[in-house]
Amino acid sequence: MRALSIRQPWAWLIVQGHKPVENRDWAIKYRGPVLIHAGLTLSRKHYEDLELDMAVRMRIGLPAYEDLQRGGVVGVAEIVDCVDQSDSPWFTGPFGFVLARARPLPFFPCKGQLGFFDVPAEAVGLSNELVEAMAP
């Protein structure tokens, strides 16, 4: 199954249903399920700045720095579109992957990569039925 590595706390915001757009510098044609991988990198300063911004601007409380899982799959979502314009407060462009049906999964450690990469769905406990149910 395809996976996309995203830094925390953005990965957490996506799988909790708060952030329906993932910004990238490149467009995609792919539509369908994608595992959300939380990258290893997260500086405490960056986290503290984002924590304040999320609380004030979006009224979202983030988990504690130590509680954000990193270095593995944290959830799954469906890519339903790729846009170059959006009214969403989460869109900063130049392209946004529009996400739907995002939800957390039990943490599965694995190494991330740039761009999309493959992770066997059964490795993270996803049944073929669930993967098929997520397909457009």
Side-chain angles (χ1 to χ4, degrees), residues 25 27 31-32 37 45 51 54 58-59 73 87 91-92 95 99 105 112 117 129 136:
D25 291 334
R31 305 294 184 266
H37 175 274
K45 170 77 170 109
E51 181 183 36
M54 289 297 106
M58 300 291 197
R59 304 209 187 283
V73 172
D87 292 333
F91 180 78
T92 60
F95 298 100
L99 306 170
L105 293 174
F117 60 98
E129 293 79 20

Side-chain angles (χ1 to χ4, degrees), residues 21 27-28 31 81-86 91 93-98:
V21 177
I28 57 165
R31 305 294 184 266
D81 203 358
C82 179
V83 297
D84 60 9
Q85 296 178 21
S86 174
F91 180 78
F95 298 100
F97 302 169
V98 180

Side-chain angles (χ1 to χ4, degrees), residues 63-120:
Y65 175 87
E66 298 79 14
D67 293 338
L68 286 170
Q69 297 171 312
R70 297 187 295 267
V73 172
V74 295
V76 64
E78 182 179 345
I79 297 175
V80 295
D81 203 358
C82 179
V83 297
D84 60 9
Q85 296 178 21
S86 174
D87 292 333
S88 170
W90 298 101
F91 180 78
T92 60
F95 298 100
F97 302 169
V98 180
L99 306 170
R101 300 195 309 179
R103 60 194 174 282
L105 293 174
F107 182 75
F108 172 77
C110 70
K111 186 176 178 180
Q113 297 177 26
L114 294 176
F116 286 101
F117 60 98
D118 291 322
V119 175

Side-chain angles (χ1 to χ4, degrees), residues 7-39:
R7 288 186 181 176
Q8 289 287 28
W10 307 116
W12 181 86
L13 288 161
I14 288 170
V15 302
Q16 295 302 316
H18 297 294
K19 184 175 185 278
V21 177
E22 171 58 16
N23 297 288
R24 295 289 161 148
D25 291 334
W26 38 278
I28 57 165
K29 293 184 181 193
Y30 175 74
R31 305 294 184 266
V34 61
L35 294 171
I36 305 300
H37 175 274

